Amino acid sequence: MNHKIRMEILNRFRRRDTYSSNTDLCVNSNFELLISTVLSTRSRNSLVNLVTEDLYRTANNANKMIFLGSKKIKKIIEKIGLSRVKSKNILNICQILIQKYKGNVPNTRKSLECLPGVGRKVSNVVLNIGFGYSTIAVDTHVFRVCNRTGFAISNSYLKLEKYLLSIVPIRFRRRFHYLFFLHGKVICTYKNPSCLCCFISDLCEYKNKNMTINS
């Protein structure tokens, strides 16, 4: 795919960007953003929102989360996959935040990725949404949309991220992850993508387009 087509795709996404948020996670602080993003690993955001509504009602900062304890955290988030591991990670994250950062979420990649359960995708999301950095998080939806459409092709999440940073102009980067994430979640789905109602279908290089109406 050439630069001209990529720019047209980015501009179409921008023209359709009427969302008031940068995430569909229900969060009210950088602390909640960090915890919810950790919980969303291998879990649907809708399910994360369901359990964190109860979790944050009781514990919406590091001190309260530690007071709640690992067992109670696990019970609240048990509907989410890997709840035992994630509850321990959350508790350890909170202890580190208090010990090193006065309970605040750090704003550097190095500091974030030293936290248990925080990898590159999570750190990119927190830096982008929480601190306004022009990072591009690559999750399963972004990875699929980029490769399927031909916008950017790679067999590695990290290589794709680095390639995207080299081809996506900085003015588009802050919204890139969220818009491509939503497109993959709603339109360019894993099975039976809705190519008929896709606003970039004419620019997409996917050969097996689904031009039927999905029920």
Side-chain angles (χ1 to χ4, degrees):
M1 183 175 289
N2 62 42
H3 175 72
K4 184 178 179 180
I5 294 176
R6 286 196 185 101
M7 289 304 299
E8 176 59 24
I9 288 174
L10 291 172
N11 280 310
R12 288 188 190 183
F13 270 100
R14 171 175 277 186
R15 287 194 293 270
R16 288 175 172 265
D17 183 7
T18 58
Y19 307 102
S20 59
S21 175
N22 282 332
T23 179
D24 59 353
L25 292 170
C26 297
V27 296
N28 295 302
S29 67
N30 284 351
F31 174 77
E32 292 183 2
L33 173 64
L34 172 61
I35 299 303
S36 288
T37 309
V38 168
L39 289 174
S40 71
T41 302
R42 298 185 183 179
S43 299
R44 299 190 311 275
N45 285 2
S46 57
L47 186 56
V48 171
N49 289 336
L50 185 66
V51 301
T52 54
E53 183 178 1
D54 290 334
L55 181 63
Y56 298 148
R57 188 182 297 117
T58 305
N60 62 353
N61 61 49
N63 282 302
K64 291 180 180 178
M65 199 70 75
I66 289 175
F67 183 78
L68 190 61
S70 180
K71 289 184 179 179
K72 289 184 179 178
I73 294 172
K74 181 180 180 297
K75 185 175 181 180
I76 293 173
I77 68 169
E78 62 185 356
K79 293 180 181 178
I80 292 180
L82 304 174
S83 60
R84 183 179 64 82
V85 174
K86 289 179 180 179
S87 62
K88 289 184 177 180
N89 283 342
I90 288 173
L91 198 62
N92 289 331
I93 285 172
C94 292
Q95 290 170 343
I96 294 171
L97 293 184
I98 291 171
Q99 291 168 3
K100 290 188 174 183
Y101 307 105
K102 298 180 180 179
N104 298 313
V105 176
N107 64 349
T108 67
R109 182 185 302 282
K110 183 178 180 180
S111 298
L112 284 167
E113 292 183 7
C114 285
L115 300 173
V118 177
R120 193 169 182 90
K121 190 208 84 170
V122 173
S123 66
N124 274 331
V125 170
V126 173
L127 290 172
N128 178 267
I129 299 171
F131 296 101
Y133 294 163
S134 297
T135 57
I136 297 179
V138 176
D139 57 22
T140 55
H141 294 301
V142 174
F143 187 81
R144 180 175 62 257
V145 172
C146 286
N147 278 283
R148 180 182 280 169
T149 61
F151 185 91
I153 298 174
S154 178
N155 59 3
S156 159
Y157 279 46
L158 180 58
K159 288 180 180 178
L160 180 61
E161 178 198 331
K162 291 183 176 180
Y163 184 48
L164 288 171
L165 289 172
S166 73
I167 63 173
V168 176
I170 194 166
R171 65 184 181 277
F172 293 106
R173 290 181 195 170
R174 279 208 64 194
R175 301 289 286 171
F176 185 93
H177 168 260
Y178 186 51
L179 296 177
F180 272 58
F181 162 81
L182 286 179
H183 195 69
K185 181 181 177 182
V186 178
I187 302 295
C188 195
T189 52
Y190 177 68
K191 292 182 179 180
N192 300 319
S194 301
C195 302
L196 191 63
C197 60
C198 175
F199 58 88
I200 61 168
S201 181
D202 59 314
L203 305 175
C204 172
E205 296 178 356
Y206 186 49
K207 294 181 179 179
N208 300 313
K209 290 186 175 69
N210 174 31
M211 302 308 288
T212 59
I213 299 175
N214 292 335
S215 56

